[in-house]
Amino acid sequence: MAGPLYDGFVPGRHPIDAYGNGGFRFAEMSHKGSILALPSGISKWDVAGASALDEEAFRPVLAEAEDIEILLIGTGRNIVPLPEPLLWRLRDPGMRLDVMQTGAAARTFNILLAENRRVAAALIAVA
C-alpha cells in the first residue's frame, strides 16, 4: 500500500475502501486524518473535529459546488448538527446536504459514486 496522499491530493473519483483507526484507505493508499472527496479528487482536510466545521473549512467544497449534486458530511462517531448559517451557505450553490456519522457517510458516498452521481464527501476521521 502506498503512503499518504502525494502533496495532500490524489486526482480522480475513488471509493473509500476503509475508514477508522484515525484515517481512510482509498486508491490503494492510506491516509491518517480527515479527507475531502471532491469531483477533482481526494485531498487531506485539516479538520480534526466537528467544532472546526465552518465556512473556511468548506472553501474547497464551495470552489467545486457547481459539479456537486449531493454533499455528505461525516461528523465523526456522532452526528453533530451544523450551524444554520453554514447549512444555508452550503446549500446556496444548489448542493443537497446530508450530515451523518463518518462511517455512514463513507458507505453512502460509495453507493452514490457507483451510481455515477455527482457526490462529494467531507469526512472527519474517527479512531
Side-chain angles (χ1 to χ4, degrees):
M1 183 172 298
L5 298 177
Y6 297 103
D7 296 324
F9 180 77
V10 62
R13 294 170 51 91
H14 305 279
I16 308 300
D17 298 321
Y19 58 89
N21 207 23
F24 299 87
R25 280 200 334 249
F26 52 88
E28 299 182 10
M29 291 191 270
S30 63
H31 172 73
K32 288 285 187 192
S34 302
I35 60 170
L36 289 173
L38 301 174
S40 63
I42 298 179
S43 62
K44 67 179 181 175
W45 193 31
D46 293 327
V47 171
S51 63
L53 296 177
D54 59 16
E55 187 172 338
E56 181 64 26
F58 287 98
R59 186 176 304 268
V61 175
L62 291 167
E64 295 190 39
E66 69 182 34
D67 297 322
I68 300 169
E69 173 191 359
I70 302 165
L71 173 62
L72 305 170
I73 303 170
T75 58
R77 288 202 181 281
N78 299 307
I79 299 171
V80 178
L82 299 183
E84 200 67 29
L86 179 58
L87 289 173
W88 285 111
R89 176 66 182 102
L90 294 170
R91 287 182 183 132
D92 187 49
M95 293 183 290
R96 287 186 286 169
L97 306 178
D98 205 343
V99 179
M100 58 186 80
Q101 295 172 320
T102 293
R107 292 187 299 274
T108 303
F109 174 80
N110 287 343
I111 291 167
L112 295 174
L113 186 67
E115 293 175 352
N116 206 27
R117 302 286 296 275
R118 295 182 318 130
V119 64
L123 304 172
I124 295 175
V126 294

